[in-house]
Amino acid sequence: MRPGPLRDTASWALIALPVISGLWLAIGVGVLAALSPGYSHVSHFMSVLGAAGAPYAAWTNYAVFIPTELWFLGFLALLNARLPDRRLTRLSLILLATYAGLLMLAAGLPCDAGCNGGDDGQSAVHIAHMIAAAVAYPLALIGLFLLVLTLPQPSLLRRLALPSLAVGVGLFGAIIAVPEAQGLFQRLIEAWIYAQFIALGVHAALCLRPQ
C-alpha cells in the first residue's frame, strides 16, 4: 500500500515550521506590546519594541525576532529537499534566506528609540537597521514569486503568483505612503508573506516528494 503524503516527519514539519515561525512572531510581539505602555500596533513598527532604550529590547530582538527567522530557515532547508535542482529555484531560495538573514541583522542592530531617529539625527546603527528591514520585504516578495513559478506541477499557487506579488507590493508601498498606519501595514505584509509560506509548505508536503 502506498504511504499517505503526510506519513513522514519532514512532511509535517513543512507545514508546522512556517506556522510556528509566524505564531512565534505574532505572539511574542503581542505579549511584549501589551507590556509596553503607549505602544500602538497601528502606528509603530514592530522594531520599536526592540529599539534602543525600549524596556524589553533584548527580549524582543533575541527571544522573538531572531528565533522567528531560525524557524523559517529550517523550513527553507526542508523545502529545498522537495524542489527540483534548478537555477531559478536556487535563486529564489537564496532570496528568501537573505530575507531572513536581513531581519536577523536588523534585530542585532536595533533602531534608535522610536525607530524614527529622534531630534539629534539618526545613528549609523539605526540607518543600517532601517536599510536591512526595508530591503528584506521586497526580497521576500520576489523570492516567493519566483519560487512559486518553479513548482514542478500546475497549482493554484502558480495561478495566483502575480496577484499575490501585486498585493504584497501594494502593502509595502502603503507602509511608505501612510506613515501614520505603518505598523498596521507592516503587520499586514508580514501576514500576507506568511500565508504564502504556509501555503507553500502545505503544497510541498502534499504534492512534492524528496528529490
Side-chain angles (χ1 to χ4, degrees):
M1 181 179 294
R2 184 180 180 183
L6 293 179
R7 291 290 179 86
D8 61 286
T9 303
S11 292
W12 281 108
L14 279 165
I15 299 172
L17 285 175
V19 172
I20 292 171
S21 179
L23 288 177
W24 195 279
L25 178 64
I27 293 172
V29 167
V31 170
L32 294 173
L35 296 173
S36 302
Y39 183 82
S40 169
H41 289 287
V42 173
S43 59
H44 290 151
F45 285 126
M46 287 183 282
S47 294
V48 171
L49 294 168
Y56 302 100
W59 281 99
T60 301
N61 292 320
Y62 299 109
V64 177
F65 290 159
I66 290 179
T68 292
E69 304 312 323
L70 292 177
W71 288 116
F72 174 67
L73 288 173
F75 165 67
L76 285 186
L78 289 178
L79 189 61
N80 180 54
R82 300 291 177 106
L83 295 170
D85 186 16
R86 298 173 183 165
R87 185 174 300 176
L88 191 57
T89 303
R90 293 195 297 271
L91 173 61
S92 61
L93 290 172
I94 289 170
L95 291 176
L96 292 175
T98 303
Y99 151 79
L102 285 172
L103 291 183
M104 286 194 287
L105 177 65
L109 299 172
C111 57
D112 296 341
C115 279
N116 56 17
D119 297 329
D120 298 324
Q122 299 175 338
S123 70
V125 172
H126 173 90
I127 293 171
H129 172 96
M130 299 304 287
I131 291 174
V135 172
Y137 289 124
L139 287 183
L141 295 173
I142 296 170
L144 276 166
F145 176 72
L146 296 178
L147 187 58
V148 167
L149 293 183
T150 66
L151 293 177
Q153 52 189 294
S155 68
L156 181 61
L157 289 176
R158 291 184 66 171
R159 290 194 290 271
L160 294 178
L162 189 57
S164 296
L165 176 63
V167 171
V169 171
L171 291 172
F172 183 73
I175 295 175
I176 301 169
V178 191
E180 62 272 18
Q182 60 191 10
L184 173 61
F185 286 112
Q186 183 192 31
R187 284 154 177 78
L188 289 175
I189 195 172
E190 287 275 6
W192 186 247
I193 288 171
Y194 266 97
Q196 294 176 76
F197 290 155
I198 293 168
L200 267 172
V202 171
H203 178 82
L206 295 176
C207 303
L208 304 180
R209 308 317 303 159
Q211 297 295 308

